[in-house]
Amino acid sequence: MDIVRKRKIESFVALTLSTLAAMSGLFWLVFILGDVLIHGIGALNLGLFLEDPAPPGIEGGGLRNAFVGQLLITLCATIIGVPLGVLGGTFLAEYARGRKIARIISILSDIMVSVPSIVVGTFIYAVLVKPLGHFNGWAGAVALAIIMVPVVLRTTEDMLTLVPWTLREAAFALGAPYYKVIIQVVYRGAAAGILTGILLSIARVAGETAPLLFTSFNNSFFSVNMNEPISSLTVTIFQYAMGPYDSWHAQAWAASLIITIFILMLTIAGRLIIRWRYGKR
Amino acid sequence: MPLLFKKNPVDIFFSVITALAALSVVVFIAGILYILIRESSLSIERFGVFNFIFSTDWDPVRESFGAATNLFGTAVTTFLSLLFAIPVAVGIAIFVTEIAPNFLKGPIGVAIELLAAIPSIIYGMWGLFTLAPIMSEYIEPALQASLGKVPVLGILFEGTPMGIDLLTASVILSIMIIPFTASISRDAFNLTPAVVKESAYALGATRWEVVKNVVIPYSRLGIFGGVVLSLGRALGETMAVAFVLGNNHQITSSLLDAAATITVTLANEFTEADTDLYLSSLFYLALILFVLSFITLAIAKIFLLRAERRS
Amino acid sequence: MKTVLRLFLILTIALSFTAVQAAETINGAGATFPYPVYSAWAYQYQKTTGVRLNYQSIGSGGGVRQITNRTVDFGASDAPVPPEKLTRKDLLQFPAVIGGVVLVVNIPGVKSGQLKLDSESVCRIFLGEITEWNDSRIKSLNPSLKLPGRKITVVHRSDGSGTTAIFTTYLSKACADWKEKVGAGKAVKWPVGIGGKGNEGVANYVRRVKYSIGYVEFAYAKQNKLTYTLLKNPSGNFVKPSFETFQAAAASADFDPQKHFYLWLINAPGKNAWPISGATFILLAREKKKSNIKTVRFFDWAFKNGDETAKRLVYVPLPDDLKNKVRAYWKQNGIY
């Protein structure tokens, strides 16, 4: 009898501990998000979106340049990164399906997903900043695109693989060439999954700071010229949070709040699409 | 087999395009490696490999550089953050797979995913403004008063608690990697066949015994892969630590001292470097970081693949 | 989907190439220390003239490198570039604003302006030779002050900075040991102490760590209400850091236009001069006359209208006769 009780107590203790662990995970989430919300919401105002930065000591001012810059860099990164990723994933799942090369590239992409983003920043600095002689928005966009490609590529590959082979065979039987089958049948079948991958990859790069530090850098004025340094929210947050002025800190919190909400919404949207398309998982 | 379909000229074209796109990943990796080696060649020639890795010098005036202090910071923060994160992450995985009632599984899973999605700069800023003061005012003095009094362990908690130190950086880093480790462990746990678990229950095992003796041994490889993957992540994390590590090039015995990691050094000094050798040495650091994390991640991948194959 | 994508593509390319330079822009890069005051000036300048001055604070070293490579209209550096190097790289240089490095301490019971130090004692503290506050070398300077027998924690910058360059130049002049063992530069290998990132990092540490001493730009000491010390200057006076003592340093110093104003404002001869001051400099590419005229017009405007802004941000404007010297220098080089 005693042994049974001991086992039960042991089980109870261990399970309580792991419940606590799960609660602590929730605790940090609530703590961090709550903190960002409390600090950020007080600093939110319309001027933040409509005005350019005012220098320290002058009241008001906003981060219009950073919002627009961030959108522009992310957009360009998406335009470069998504086609590469989707097409690459197509190769792995279709033309090279089951071949060694597909396997190798797939593994390399998985590794690439977690490679330190600051290393990508230094790489782009050497390739696109130093030769041109100045920081520029394109360099930032390319750095982010390099981070996006493996994410999109892997999800695309996975999603295309999920499309049943019989579907393709049915199309082949009608005499369709492979590329038509891919575009009209396979892509259609996997559209929701690919879209999720794209959303998640945007969420991933929208919050990146390290690769932008030495590429797109920062600009205190409103600029949409990608050949010039362009401001981004994340680099601005880094600069403002480290700075000595209270008004900077407040704006950094507000910017953090906006970017967090944006990324969490993308993430949730991605999850919802998956759930809606592929059922509960 | 599918390549047989390449009869149509458009098909050939399309397959070549997709192949090139897929190869871009290989090009990126090779390109990064090549460029980093090229850019750091000045520093490699000057300091060599072993000299650079083991030299604790980081002296921009005399242009003498070494990676040891940066590697030290990277190693300590990574190790500590894993130490804090693994138990919590495995606990979360156990809770989600074995304990939680169904209506809780979803929300907690989502919460963990969201924790993983928060950008690292937010962690960094939160660490600087919120966590660091808490650490310096409450937690670190408390540690000094308790563990600091223990003879050998006390060395770890010497100095003045400032909140900008190895300990705070490691705590933030551990919060960041918990979600990765947790979700991979969860996936690994889920690979355990229900039949095996059920037969253990049928023999009268408690839930904990099932976890301890069936699930964990079964998913050992997967958990290990997850841990190594988190290690790779922690190695390369920049912004979360840049705010709270203090960027001080030193090897210290106290966790309450400022230090520098490779990533933090790069973020702080890259645009400030004024001589070619200085910049080249920073590229050298980036190269070391790239190689280290690549190897780590490759090992993680191998373990995860094996774990998948087994089931 | 496709049309949307195409639209985006056209839009970005168009933005990239056509919307360029709707307004006149001056691009500058360099030192982080004067960033707040330059950006404040630029903000007002744009409002009155429509001309944009985009200043990127990438650090003094970066500023010199960028202007040397001719990728910006002007560079900025906290450390003056020696005349030989200017000639070699075909650059012009002039001061824009004055700053000063002050020593800040955290000793319970000691208030701002109470603790007196001289160059020798500061040097020994930063070398780690004076380790306690009641050391006889400090006590002899402060006979009336009650100093605790506590260990000194030295706080220094951990990133490269012009502030450090100014301070370490001061230390190198203060004692031979420093010059020999450590030297002067934007980042040095510190014998003792803890490092904070940026002026604010150092200010933060000094505020939190009891019995510490650090060095920061005057603006940060003032904004963070830190306890500053008095310093003995070469005239033998103990001076307090203030606008007046910085200006005294700038006014008494012999800025020589022939040497492109190359001068460390260390131990300036004025009676009330603060010993650790420094001008922050603007660098121009000699042959780029057109863009230089634009840049000079901006700084001329700032010299005329920017003093109040500078003072509000706790920077010290150049004294009037130095401004005139700079104007003469511009004229001499045909850009004014």
Side-chain angles (χ1 to χ4, degrees):
Chain A
M1 269 303 122
D2 214 18
I3 286 180
V4 172
R5 241 180 86 179
K6 213 182 117 202
R7 282 170 58 202
K8 275 196 171 152
I9 290 174
E10 195 185 271
S11 176
F12 179 75
V13 169
L15 296 184
T16 311
L17 282 179
S18 57
T19 309
L20 283 178
M23 291 307 127
S24 82
L26 276 180
F27 165 76
W28 290 120
L29 183 73
V30 172
F31 192 178
I32 294 173
L33 287 184
D35 210 38
V36 171
L37 193 70
I38 288 166
H39 283 97
I41 220 155
L44 272 188
N45 55 48
L46 212 58
L48 194 72
F49 303 97
L50 299 178
E51 285 171 42
D52 287 338
I58 291 173
E59 283 300 305
L63 298 172
R64 180 176 71 132
N65 60 339
F67 282 108
V68 174
Q70 181 89 49
L71 279 178
L72 201 60
I73 294 173
T74 313
L75 189 73
C76 292
T78 311
I79 291 172
I80 302 167
V82 165
L84 270 182
V86 172
L87 290 175
T90 309
F91 181 72
L92 300 195
E94 304 293 336
Y95 290 107
R97 179 180 283 232
R99 291 180 170 247
K100 207 165 199 172
I101 179 135
R103 191 121 184 87
I104 291 171
I105 292 180
S106 180
I107 290 173
L108 284 178
S109 305
D110 269 343
I111 293 173
M112 204 45 201
V113 167
S114 297
V115 153
S117 55
I118 196 159
V119 170
V120 177
T122 59
F123 165 66
I124 293 295
Y125 176 85
V127 176
L128 280 177
V129 176
K130 221 166 133 195
L132 292 178
H134 55 94
F135 299 104
N136 60 85
W138 287 117
V142 173
L144 293 189
I146 290 183
I147 297 168
M148 273 181 119
V149 169
V151 182
V152 179
L153 186 140
R154 286 290 290 115
T155 29
T156 306
E157 186 196 353
D158 285 348
M159 291 305 154
L160 296 188
T161 316
L162 283 182
V163 176
W165 189 252
T166 46
L167 219 59
R168 296 180 182 81
E169 273 170 356
F172 293 143
L174 295 173
Y178 200 176
Y179 77 93
K180 256 192 184 154
V181 175
I182 291 173
I183 292 172
Q184 293 182 350
V185 178
V186 183
Y187 279 172
R188 196 160 288 174
I194 295 175
L195 184 65
T196 302
I198 293 171
L199 287 182
L200 293 183
S201 75
I202 294 175
R204 165 85 202 276
V205 299
E208 282 287 354
T209 317
L212 299 180
L213 283 175
F214 343 116
T215 51
S216 60
F217 202 63
N218 207 346
N219 193 330
S220 44
F221 286 97
F222 180 82
S223 171
V224 287
N225 184 352
M226 290 288 283
N227 295 322
E228 272 188 6
I230 278 197
S231 185
S232 57
L233 275 180
T234 46
V235 175
T236 305
I237 292 172
F238 186 47
Q239 193 188 351
Y240 277 22
M242 283 296 206
Y245 306 101
D246 284 340
S247 60
W248 278 13
H249 293 172
Q251 291 195 340
W253 279 114
S256 304
L257 177 63
I258 301 287
I259 206 160
T260 308
I261 290 176
F262 176 71
I263 287 171
L264 292 188
M265 281 190 351
L266 277 181
T267 313
I268 292 170
R271 302 279 149 218
L272 286 181
I273 292 174
I274 287 262
R275 177 163 303 182
W276 160 72
R277 183 64 182 73
Y278 298 94
K280 280 196 179 173
R281 282 226 288 170
Chain B
M1 190 265 284
L3 285 175
L4 289 178
F5 292 97
K6 271 187 356 186
K7 286 174 216 152
N8 190 310
V10 187
D11 236 345
I12 295 172
F13 177 72
F14 194 60
S15 66
V16 169
I17 294 280
T18 56
L20 288 178
L23 282 175
S24 71
V25 174
V26 183
V27 172
F28 293 153
I29 292 175
I32 290 174
L33 199 62
Y34 168 73
I35 292 288
L36 290 184
I37 291 174
R38 194 189 73 188
E39 294 296 320
S40 54
S41 59
L42 191 66
S43 183
I44 295 175
E45 265 167 42
R46 183 69 162 274
F47 304 117
V49 178
F50 285 98
N51 259 341
F52 189 74
I53 290 175
F54 290 109
S55 162
T56 57
D57 243 6
W58 190 261
D59 187 343
V61 176
R62 301 202 160 68
E63 299 212 50
S64 166
F65 299 100
T69 52
N70 300 294
L71 286 169
F72 167 81
T74 301
V76 171
T77 49
T78 307
F79 174 76
L80 278 183
S81 60
L82 285 178
L83 196 69
F84 301 148
I86 292 172
V88 179
V90 173
I92 291 174
I94 293 174
F95 180 81
V96 172
T97 51
E98 307 297 327
I99 304 173
N102 272 332
F103 71 93
L104 261 183
K105 272 184 189 171
I108 290 191
V110 171
I112 299 298
E113 306 268 359
L114 291 186
L115 208 51
I118 296 176
S120 59
I121 188 150
I122 306 292
Y123 281 97
M125 203 169 125
W126 173 80
L128 178 69
F129 287 116
T130 306
L131 186 63
I134 294 176
M135 293 295 286
S136 74
E137 267 171 52
Y138 305 106
I139 297 175
E140 288 173 359
L143 282 173
Q144 279 184 327
S146 51
L147 290 175
K149 299 275 190 283
V150 181
V152 181
L153 218 57
I155 301 171
L156 295 176
F157 302 100
E158 275 171 356
T160 332
M162 290 174 303
I164 310 286
D165 48 38
L166 284 166
L167 188 64
T168 309
S170 308
V171 170
I172 292 179
L173 210 48
S174 72
I175 298 174
M176 275 204 71
I177 58 175
I178 283 173
F180 296 111
T181 324
S183 67
I184 293 173
S185 311
R186 182 192 57 189
D187 293 348
F189 283 180
N190 278 337
L191 290 179
T192 315
V195 191
V196 185
K197 280 197 284 184
E198 274 155 18
S199 43
Y201 281 124
L203 290 174
T206 61
R207 263 197 217 186
W208 168 240
E209 282 163 348
V210 172
V211 171
K212 192 177 67 176
N213 301 327
V214 179
V215 178
I216 290 187
Y218 203 91
S219 43
R220 214 174 38 224
L221 276 177
I223 297 175
F224 190 73
V227 167
V228 181
L229 188 67
S230 311
L231 178 89
R233 281 264 166 163
L235 277 180
E237 183 44 48
T238 310
M239 301 324 288
V241 275
F243 281 94
V244 290
L245 196 53
N247 190 33
N248 204 5
H249 296 278
Q250 61 173 354
I251 290 182
T252 161
S253 61
S254 170
L255 299 180
L256 305 188
D257 260 338
T261 64
I262 293 179
T263 51
V264 171
T265 303
L266 286 174
N268 275 318
E269 300 182 24
F270 201 80
T271 51
E272 289 269 2
D274 47 1
T275 62
D276 291 342
L277 188 61
Y278 194 175
L279 193 63
S280 174
S281 300
L282 288 171
F283 271 113
Y284 200 174
L285 283 184
L287 176 67
I288 291 176
L289 178 64
F290 181 66
V291 171
L292 267 184
S293 54
F294 195 90
I295 293 172
T296 314
L297 295 168
I299 292 173
K301 192 67 203 161
I302 290 170
F303 277 103
L304 289 175
L305 282 177
R306 268 212 215 153
E308 259 175 53
R309 207 174 302 151
R310 250 183 49 166
S311 58
Chain C
M1 182 70 189
K2 245 186 208 163
T3 44
V4 175
L5 211 76
R6 204 170 293 155
L7 204 76
F8 277 147
L9 211 73
I10 292 166
L11 206 73
T12 37
I13 291 171
L15 286 174
S16 236
F17 298 105
T18 61
V20 200
Q21 326 292 324
E24 202 180 339
T25 306
I26 308 169
N27 280 305
T32 44
F33 155 62
Y35 170 72
V37 67
Y38 290 170
S39 61
W41 284 345
Y43 182 74
Q44 289 162 340
Y45 193 61
Q46 199 227 346
K47 284 204 163 155
T48 49
T49 65
V51 178
R52 293 167 153 199
L53 181 119
N54 176 30
Y55 181 73
Q56 304 162 29
S57 54
I58 58 170
S60 297
V64 177
R65 204 166 51 194
Q66 298 268 20
I67 189 67
T68 306
N69 297 337
R70 304 298 196 256
T71 55
V72 287
D73 296 322
F74 71 90
S77 171
D78 288 340
V81 179
E84 315 82 65
K85 194 176 170 191
L86 290 170
T87 318
R88 206 168 56 235
K89 311 273 186 195
D90 215 17
L91 297 173
L92 300 173
Q93 172 176 265
F94 63 87
V97 66
I98 310 277
V101 178
V102 303
L103 287 159
V104 288
V105 295
N106 179 348
I107 312 169
V110 174
K111 292 195 189 72
S112 269
Q114 283 187 335
L115 185 69
K116 293 174 181 168
L117 293 172
D118 61 3
S119 60
E120 180 67 19
S121 56
V122 172
C123 184
R124 299 294 160 198
I125 290 173
F126 277 82
L127 273 173
E129 289 170 17
I130 295 181
T131 55
E132 290 188 349
W133 283 112
N134 62 355
D135 192 287
S136 61
R137 281 168 284 188
I138 302 180
K139 259 189 161 167
S140 63
L141 295 168
N142 301 281
S144 58
L145 212 56
K146 257 185 99 177
L147 289 164
R150 301 296 286 263
K151 213 169 159 279
I152 301 175
T153 308
V154 169
V155 185
H156 54 75
R157 287 284 288 271
S158 57
D159 50 338
S161 88
T163 314
T164 301
I166 293 169
F167 185 64
T168 50
T169 306
Y170 172 76
L171 291 178
S172 293
K173 288 191 177 168
C175 60
D177 279 1
W178 183 273
K179 196 172 180 183
E180 218 171 86
K181 285 182 191 155
V182 188
K186 292 191 192 86
V188 299
K189 203 180 167 197
W190 295 94
V192 288
I194 56 177
K197 163 101 166 84
N199 275 302
E200 53 275 22
V202 173
N204 239 340
Y205 282 173
V206 171
R207 203 163 32 178
R208 280 208 212 135
V209 182
K210 285 202 176 107
Y211 309 107
S212 62
I213 183 169
Y215 64 94
V216 291
E217 285 287 348
F218 182 47
Y220 290 83
K222 212 161 169 174
Q223 260 158 354
N224 292 302
K225 302 197 172 55
L226 296 171
T227 308
Y228 55 80
T229 70
L230 301 183
L231 267 184
K232 192 175 178 182
N233 68 13
S235 318
N237 295 325
F238 284 99
V239 288
K240 178 181 125 171
S242 68
F243 286 119
E244 289 73 33
T245 53
F246 293 137
Q247 278 204 314
S252 68
D254 183 23
F255 278 104
D256 185 356
Q258 297 308 316
K259 290 193 210 151
H260 307 281
F261 302 97
Y262 175 77
L263 184 70
W264 291 93
L265 258 187
I266 304 290
N267 297 330
K271 224 175 75 193
N272 287 316
W274 178 255
I276 329 178
S277 314
T280 175
F281 294 86
I282 298 296
L283 297 162
L284 298 172
R286 188 189 282 273
E287 76 287 355
K288 284 169 77 176
K289 280 239 161 71
K290 242 185 178 164
S291 77
N292 287 350
I293 288 173
K294 280 195 285 181
T295 310
V296 160
R297 210 178 280 148
F298 169 80
F299 282 101
D300 186 44
W301 175 90
F303 284 175
K304 278 185 196 132
N305 307 298
D307 286 5
E308 281 314 305
T309 312
K311 278 189 180 166
R312 201 178 58 239
L313 296 170
V314 214
Y315 290 82
V316 184
L318 300 187
D320 282 337
D321 55 327
L322 182 53
K323 283 181 186 167
N324 288 331
K325 261 194 203 172
V326 172
R327 289 190 177 108
Y329 174 78
W330 292 338
K331 210 166 251 162
Q332 188 199 331
N333 287 291
I335 49 176
Y336 180 60

